Amino acid sequence: AEYETILVERRDAVTLVTLNRPQALNALNSQVLADLIAAFAAYDADDSQRCLVLTGSEKAFAAGADIKEMSGQGFAEMYGSNFFGGWEKVTATRKPWIAAVAGYALGGGCEVAMMADFILAADSAKFGQPEIKLGVTPGMGGSQRLARAVGKSKAMEMCLTGRMMDAAEAESAGLVARVVPAAGLIDEAMKVAAAIAAMAPLAAIANKEMVNAAFETTLAQGVTFERRLFHGLFGTEDQKEGMAAFVEKRPGKWTGK
Ligand code: HXC
């Protein structure tokens, strides 16, 4: 197989990536990270692929970073290898991707789900940052992304107690976009992904870039960034096509140019 710890399947314009370490509840070790970096880079570089879904198993999206791999390491090794630093290669993905979460999304599992453009959750999903119970903290961006997603109070309570949040709470807190019955999770995620994949590709990247800018900048700068990208799309064929198609009451045919 192409990868050791993940399964990759292309269905039309959608790439489905399934974490596949069932014996460890998809715990995220270095090999998983290496496989995901390669798979996401291949997705980003493949013009035939327009959206990606990352999922786990029914029982666990991922039960965290691999505790057994980390436990013996010291500061010099962690700092020297910039342990977890590779995840920024995953978050550098320019094209859209969705996390489809069933079962446990704990620690690093919750953190990876929060790296996605959005989370679709099964009603069986459970989110948590239990690192405090191991004597540490989140290390893949969880404290920052959880605080941005659900606000200080809930993020602080989750990190300080290590408790789990169920799907209903995650939805009402704004952590996930939508909750669906567990049996239909993958179908629904693939359907949403196919809908995104059918949009003008440059507009998809631009929409993603500008929503992400909201987490990095002031309102005035973010609005200017949005405006300039919006202006820029008027230099594309797909803007002409999209607006002509509307006027002519037909679906747009995109070129990605
Ligand atoms: C390594 C793990 C693992 C993990 C589970 N396993 N989670 N291995 N790292 N994070 C392994 C178990 O050791 C076990 O292997 C097998 O997966 C099945 O797990 P069980 O515990 O037997 O299953 P269950 O009783 O159903 O309990 C499920 C669970 C529990 C509640 C999710 O596994 C659990 O609490 N896992 C750890 C959750 C956690 O603390 N995550 C945060 C990790 S730290 P064997 O060989 O015994 O069958 C992290 C932080 C990153 O992510 C940032 C800095 C540290």
Side-chain angles (χ1 to χ4, degrees):
E2 212 179 339
Y3 302 104
E4 273 179 51
T5 63
I6 60 175
L7 305 171
V8 178
E9 192 189 321
R10 289 175 190 85
R11 292 191 201 162
D12 298 321
V14 178
T15 301
L16 175 63
V17 178
T18 306
L19 298 166
N20 188 32
R21 293 188 74 211
Q23 74 288 358
L25 300 182
N26 293 329
L28 306 160
N29 64 10
S30 311
Q31 190 58 50
V32 178
L33 176 56
D35 285 348
L36 287 176
I37 289 171
F40 276 68
Y43 159 64
D44 234 4
D46 184 344
D47 279 344
S48 76
Q49 297 301 291
R50 305 288 191 201
C51 196
L52 180 150
V53 173
L54 176 66
T55 196
S57 70
E58 263 173 54
K59 180 166 180 189
F61 176 75
D66 193 312
I67 297 169
K68 293 163 192 170
E69 182 181 63
M70 281 184 295
S71 60
Q73 300 210 37
F75 171 78
E77 290 144 311
M78 294 298 267
Y79 186 55
S81 68
N82 194 20
F83 199 80
F84 289 156
W87 287 102
E88 270 71 66
K89 294 187 180 150
V90 174
T91 59
T93 304
R94 297 188 71 219
K95 297 200 281 197
W97 66 282
I98 304 168
V101 175
Y104 297 112
L106 299 178
C110 185
E111 296 176 282
V112 171
M114 291 190 292
M115 290 174 197
D117 296 325
F118 60 91
I119 301 173
L120 271 189
D123 49 16
S124 63
K126 289 189 187 311
F127 300 89
Q129 297 294 159
E131 290 90 344
I132 194 164
K133 296 182 182 172
L134 303 168
V136 290
T137 66
M140 290 157 53
S143 64
Q144 305 306 298
R145 292 196 176 90
L146 190 62
R148 282 162 170 77
V150 306
K152 172 179 167 178
S153 208
K154 210 174 259 291
M156 197 68 93
E157 189 217 3
M158 297 291 294
C159 289
L160 287 177
T161 66
R163 80 168 171 92
M164 292 187 216
M165 198 191 269
D166 67 17
E169 185 181 1
E171 183 176 31
S172 67
L175 179 61
V176 309
R178 231 143 34 78
V179 178
V180 301
L185 176 68
I186 302 300
D187 283 351
E188 183 61 22
M190 292 303 281
K191 215 171 93 187
V192 177
I196 294 169
M199 303 296 175
L202 298 179
I205 293 176
N207 273 278
K208 171 171 172 163
E209 275 185 355
M210 64 177 70
V211 173
N212 278 334
F215 298 96
E216 304 285 354
T217 189
T218 65
L219 179 61
Q221 287 177 325
V223 169
T224 301
F225 180 75
E226 174 195 275
R227 188 83 17 90
R228 293 294 172 258
L229 266 177
F230 168 75
H231 291 158
L233 288 172
F234 284 74
T236 67
E237 289 175 12
D238 283 346
Q239 174 270 328
K240 300 286 173 284
E241 163 63 11
M243 293 191 178
F246 174 81
V247 173
E248 292 160 20
K249 301 186 191 298
R250 58 170 178 85
K253 284 189 70 180
W254 315 118
T255 59
K257 289 181 181 147

